[in-house]
Amino acid sequence: MEITHTKTQMGTSRSPVGISPIDPLQWVKKYADYLYTYAITRINDEEQARDLVQETFLAALEKIKTFEGRSSESTWLTAILKNKIVDIYRKKSSGLLKKSDVSDAEQEQKDFFDPDDGHWNEDFRPKEIGVEEDLLVNDEFSIILQKCMEKLPVLWSAVFAMKHMDDDATENICEVLKITPANFWVIIHRAKLNLRACLQKNWI
Amino acid sequence: MNSIKGIIYNCRHATFLIEKKQIKKLTFTENIKLRIHLTGCSVCRIFQKQSILINRMAKRLIGDSENKDRKLDEQFKRHLQDKIENELGKNL
């Protein structure tokens, strides 16, 4: 039987065996909360996260013909959303904004080490803050971590999230965020120094 | 600055290697340097422990929130549903 994917079938059509079906009428019910959560854990802005969910659905509708069923519907939608998030990272971390928030953060950690020998300065030395296994499941501690992540320069938190939350390949992160590998390592290091210091300051 | 001596006393560089190590295999020399540093530096040992903790927490954050769900309100969902139906309607 010849299966034709005409526009009139959209929304109710079932694709051939072995290929994931696609059903936009179920999207909101099945994926809206998931996509919203995905967005908000990466950009920390409710309003923007809502907009992104909407944009994702609309973009998906436009691209519906190119959906080949190789991935599941949810993977496909998540990939569209992820591209949009990366666009935001890129926009936010370019231009004027970038310069001021990065230099503030750099200023903050200038005091961490002695400029001559690279030793920890007394006031900024890491101290024991508790038993790791307990902290890991402590909700309050996790909220502080999220707040500390929000305080990072956008580019730094983008690099941190893509690497440590999404496990993206380093080359891929450099490419989409337009940074050099050397820059990547500097950011990974600096983001962690600031995050850790922020946790210690706000937890103890 | 002699490189071995440099790292043995340099906490800034040691913390850099600690971060790198969690993402990528260190070179032989980097590994040796870091190990020597950590043997003698209890502060960087604490840093390392906490750095690993932060990475584990970041992973958990995603897992957690994706399970728990932060929910969109019903009104916005209805709005989304309308939009989708509208768009589909245009193509009919």
Side-chain angles (χ1 to χ4, degrees), chain A residues 10-11 14 20-36 53-65 67 72-78 80, chain B residues 72 77 80-81 83-85 87-88:
Chain A
M10 220 158 50
R14 284 286 176 270
S20 312
I22 197 157
D23 186 358
L25 291 174
Q26 297 296 315
W27 285 355
V28 174
K29 201 173 128 210
K30 283 162 84 176
Y31 310 117
D33 286 331
Y34 170 79
L35 293 173
Y36 177 66
V53 175
Q54 174 165 326
E55 285 172 32
T56 300
F57 285 148
L58 295 180
L61 284 174
E62 267 174 38
K63 289 195 230 178
I64 207 155
K65 279 198 179 153
F67 177 76
S72 69
E73 205 180 25
S74 75
T75 310
W76 180 62
L77 289 169
T78 310
I80 295 173
Chain B
L72 273 169
K77 281 189 192 167
L80 285 176
Q81 187 71 31
K83 275 230 146 171
I84 290 175
E85 285 174 19
E87 287 299 312
L88 286 172

Side-chain angles (χ1 to χ4, degrees), chain A residues 135-151:
Chain A
L135 292 172
L136 194 63
V137 293
N138 185 310
D139 285 341
E140 247 175 285
F141 193 66
S142 147
I143 288 167
I144 295 177
L145 175 65
Q146 291 177 59
K147 294 245 179 279
C148 289
M149 282 172 66
E150 281 172 43
K151 280 198 220 156

Side-chain angles (χ1 to χ4, degrees), chain A residues 33-44:
Chain A
D33 286 331
Y34 170 79
L35 293 173
Y36 177 66
T37 310
Y38 187 97
I40 203 150
T41 44
R42 284 157 182 86
I43 54 168
N44 291 311

Side-chain angles (χ1 to χ4, degrees), chain A residues 50 119 127 189 192 196, chain B residues 9 15 19 50-51 73 79:
Chain A
R50 285 156 65 107
H119 274 208
K127 298 185 184 81
H189 182 212
K192 183 63 68 62
R196 200 216 60 81
Chain B
Y9 300 108
T15 54
E19 291 315 303
Q50 293 174 351
S51 171
D73 58 273
H79 160 81

Side-chain angles (χ1 to χ4, degrees), chain B residues 10-24:
Chain B
N10 191 323
C11 300
R12 182 198 291 275
H13 192 60
T15 54
F16 177 82
L17 292 179
I18 288 168
E19 291 315 303
K20 194 173 170 191
K21 191 179 178 184
Q22 293 179 69
I23 293 175
K24 195 181 166 177

Side-chain angles (χ1 to χ4, degrees), chain B residues 33-75:
Chain B
K33 284 178 180 177
L34 179 59
R35 276 165 77 175
I36 296 173
H37 183 92
L38 287 177
T39 308
C41 180
S42 63
V43 182
C44 283
R45 285 203 300 273
I46 296 177
F47 177 90
Q48 175 168 256
K49 226 165 45 176
Q50 293 174 351
S51 171
I52 292 169
L53 172 71
I54 290 170
N55 289 354
R56 287 178 65 193
M57 283 184 66
K59 282 257 160 55
R60 254 186 88 90
L61 221 59
I62 287 284
D64 258 15
S65 51
E66 280 172 6
N67 294 334
K68 274 187 213 148
D69 274 356
R70 286 166 81 165
K71 292 206 179 348
L72 273 169
D73 58 273
E74 288 306 316
Q75 200 192 342

